Amino acid sequence: DVPMVLVLHGFGGSGAAMSSYTGIESALTEAGVDAVVVYPEGTGAETGSPQSWNAGGCCPFAMFEPVDDVSFFSRLITTVETDYSTDPDRVWVIGHSNGGMMGYRLACELSDRISAIGVAAGALMLDSCTPTRAVNMLHLHGDLDTVVPINGGNALGIVFPSTRESINRYADAALCDAESISTTNVVERTCGTKRVVLATDPTWTHDWQPDWSRRFVEFFAATSGA
């Protein structure tokens, strides 16, 4: 059985756009990883609103409904596993911006179904995070991000935590050890056999960066087995 990769668009995005600009499938092919890749769509299109995910404190309009996206992803995973015989121990989520925030929420609230999360320019937007187990996580964030600022603060009318606060809150909730690696651009904490990693770069903006897909795929393959 092969891994399942769920690729989540950001606010106002779409599955088709996410497929086009991330190149996830090319990165998987280059890494020699066969996988079933799924590009789910957030809610909003049916009412003429920008598509979004309810990741807790972000984003409109899914958070206002409120849309039960955790249940949606639980059902989606079951459907894909049934239809494609994917490996239930290798369910990987990659999310950009609001999609990355949704990834955090799944790591907090659906950890029994998820094995690894790749967060691109996202944040942990929940008041409480109570995972039943730790999942492998790689969070990539740029110093030049003005949409979800790396140091946190108010942007677009939403108050975001800092990137370091997001990763540490998750790692604390998952009962991870203290930092095993801490450099200017990389922070890593271990949670038993799981790894929670934050990598930053002074040149990255909020936009999807050229090597993010490769980084996520290599991280998943190394931590979850390919």
Side-chain angles (χ1 to χ4, degrees):
D1 292 350
V2 301
M4 177 194 315
V5 186
L6 304 176
V7 187
L8 282 52
H9 63 75
F11 174 78
S14 68
M18 196 68 178
S19 172
S20 172
Y21 71 72
T22 61
I24 294 290
E25 288 162 76
S26 295
L28 287 163
T29 299
E30 288 173 15
V33 178
D34 291 327
V36 173
V37 185
V38 184
Y39 297 92
E41 303 272 353
T43 53
E46 63 280 358
T47 59
S49 303
Q51 293 197 134
S52 59
W53 306 105
N54 176 15
C58 190
C59 290
F61 295 86
M63 64 182 279
F64 295 144
E65 297 296 332
V67 177
D68 189 352
D69 278 324
V70 175
S71 292
F72 165 73
F73 278 102
S74 182
R75 295 193 304 272
L76 176 62
I77 291 167
T78 298
T79 299
V80 175
E81 285 176 350
T82 301
D83 292 350
Y84 293 95
S85 299
T86 53
D87 184 349
D89 293 324
R90 288 185 292 169
V91 178
W92 303 339
V93 175
I94 297 173
H96 184 208
S97 193
N98 179 209
M101 299 170 199
M102 192 65 220
Y104 262 115
R105 182 164 199 173
L106 295 177
C108 291
E109 300 182 8
L110 202 65
S111 57
D112 59 323
R113 308 292 306 276
I114 303 287
S115 55
I117 302 288
V119 177
L124 175 54
M125 301 298 293
L126 298 171
D127 291 332
S128 94
C129 176
T130 54
T132 56
R133 65 173 183 173
V135 302
N136 290 302
M137 180 182 295
L138 173 60
H139 183 150
L140 303 178
H141 217 108
D143 291 2
L144 301 181
D145 192 332
T146 57
V147 179
V148 182
I150 195 167
N151 293 319
N154 190 320
L156 307 175
I158 295 172
V159 178
F160 295 106
S162 73
T163 303
R164 182 68 71 93
E165 181 185 346
S166 290
I167 200 92
N168 279 335
R169 276 193 62 215
Y170 174 75
D172 289 344
L175 305 178
C176 301
D177 298 331
E179 292 170 0
S180 57
I181 297 174
S182 183
T183 66
T184 303
N185 295 327
V186 177
V187 174
E188 178 167 341
R189 293 176 63 179
T190 53
C191 328
T193 60
K194 306 299 183 182
R195 298 168 59 202
V196 174
V197 182
L198 168 64
T200 62
D201 190 285
T203 68
W204 291 343
T205 64
H206 187 71
D207 295 334
W208 192 273
Q209 301 298 304
D211 67 338
W212 282 2
S213 295
R214 176 190 59 78
R215 283 172 173 255
F216 285 135
V217 169
E218 289 181 355
F219 177 78
F220 293 155
T223 55
S224 306

